[in-house]
Amino acid sequence: MKRCLLAINAGSSTLKFRAFAPDGQTLLARGMVDRFGGKEAVLSLADAKGQKLAERGLPDAEHGTALAAVLNGLADQGLEARALAHRVVHGGNRFRQPVRLDAEVRAALDDYIALAPLHQPVSLEVIDAFSAIDPRLPQIACFDTAFHASQPEVATRFGIARHWHDEGIRRYGFHGLSYAAIARRLPEVGLAHGKVVVCHLGSGASACAIESGKSVAASTGFSAVDGLMMGTRPGYLDPEVVLYWQEHEGMGVKDVRRELYKSSGLLGVSGGVSADMRELVASELPAAREAVELFCYRVAREVASLAGALRGLDGLIFTAGIGEHSAEVRGRVLQQLAWLGFELDHSANLAHARRLTTAGSRLPAFVLPTDEEGEMARQAAALL
C-alpha cells in the first residue's frame, strides 16, 4: 500500500479531493463526491491524468459514509492516507498558518462559524467525520484567510468604532489558498516581484492585490459575500439595503441571509436564468446579458481600485472556473481596462493562451490555473 497525503476541499454540495505523495508535490489521484450529503451522492475517482478509475453511487446521505467510501476507494487503488489537509474558510485573527488539528484547535474553529455560516460548518463536519472514522489519522487545517494576513492594518479596517475592530469585525479576505497557489507561479510569467492583481473568478469570485508574492489588499472583507458580484451573491452592497429589507419588507435574518447567499449575483440579476456564466453568455435574453455586463464591469472596476492600493500595476492574472475558461469575460474586462495599458490579443484570448495581451501591450495579462488542493498539500507536507 502506497501512503499519500489527502487534500480535502469540502463544499455545500460537492467534495473534491486529491491524493499526493507524502512530500505534497506529486499528484497520485483525484476525485469528487457529487451531491455530497445528499441521498444520490456519487463518488468518482481518476488517476493523476484525469483518466477515470472508478465511479459508484453511495447508499445514504451521511457525510461519514461518503468519506469512508473515499478512503476505501483510494485503498482499492493501492493508496493509504497518511494525513489529511482540509480547506477551512475562516481562521479569524488567530490562525494565520496551517495548523495540526487537536481538540483545542477544533473547538476554537467553532468561534468562526458566525463569520462564514455557509462554509465553515461543512468543513468542520468533515473534520469531525474523519475523526470518527480514524481518530489517529493526522488532520491539518489550511485557511483561506491566512494568505491575507500580510495586509497592512489600513487595508483591514472598516470605518466603524475601534472596539468593533478589536473584537474581530474587520476585513479578512478569502480564496487565500488559490492566491497562494498563483503567487507561487508568478515567477513563470516574470512577475515574481511585481505589483499584480489576481482575479479569482468562479461561482465565488474575488480579486487580490499582490506585491512580491504577498497580499496587499483584497475585494472580499468580513465575509465571502463582500466584493465582486458572484454566482448567487451580490458582492458590495449598501448596508442600508439590508435595513430596508428588514424594516419595510419584514425580512428576518434567515430571509436576508438567503437573499444574500442564494438569490443574488448572476442568478438574481439575470432574473433567475442561471448562476452559470456559460449559460448566461449563451443566452439571448436581455436580463442574462445584463448580468454578464455587470459582472465584467465590477471586475474591471475592482482591478482599478486594487491598482490604486498597489500604487501601480505590472500585470493581471485570471484564474478559477470563469477566469480560466471564459474568453468572453476576460475579453470584456481587458477591453474596459485598456486605459490602464492592456491591449487585448483577441486570437490568444479565444485560444485560451497563457498570455492574453499583445507583444506591444504596455501591461501583460495572463491565465494561470489555480490549484487549491495542491497548495493545501504543500502546506501540510511542510507542517508535517
Side-chain angles (χ1 to χ4, degrees), residues 222-246:
F222 179 67
S223 75
V225 177
D226 200 15
L228 300 180
M229 188 173 80
M230 309 176 210
T232 59
R233 286 170 264 171
Y236 291 127
L237 186 71
D238 186 334
E240 191 66 34
V241 173
V242 174
L243 297 178
Y244 177 89
W245 285 339
Q246 292 176 321

Side-chain angles (χ1 to χ4, degrees), residues 20-37:
F20 293 84
D23 64 1
Q25 300 292 329
T26 305
L27 179 64
L28 303 175
R30 67 182 78 195
M32 179 175 70
V33 179
D34 197 15
R35 295 188 288 276
F36 180 57

Side-chain angles (χ1 to χ4, degrees), residues 254-307:
K254 289 184 179 179
D255 301 317
V256 170
R257 181 163 284 135
R258 187 182 309 111
E259 195 71 29
L260 292 177
Y261 280 92
K262 299 295 185 181
S263 303
S264 298
L266 292 172
L267 181 65
V269 176
S270 70
V273 173
S274 181
D276 191 317
M277 181 60 74
R278 295 166 295 186
E279 295 180 13
L280 296 175
V281 168
S283 175
E284 296 294 329
L285 294 173
R289 291 181 175 182
E290 187 171 26
V292 176
E293 180 182 10
L294 180 58
F295 183 89
C296 297
Y297 167 81
R298 294 280 286 272
V299 172
R301 181 169 165 173
E302 190 63 31
V303 171
S305 173
L306 291 173

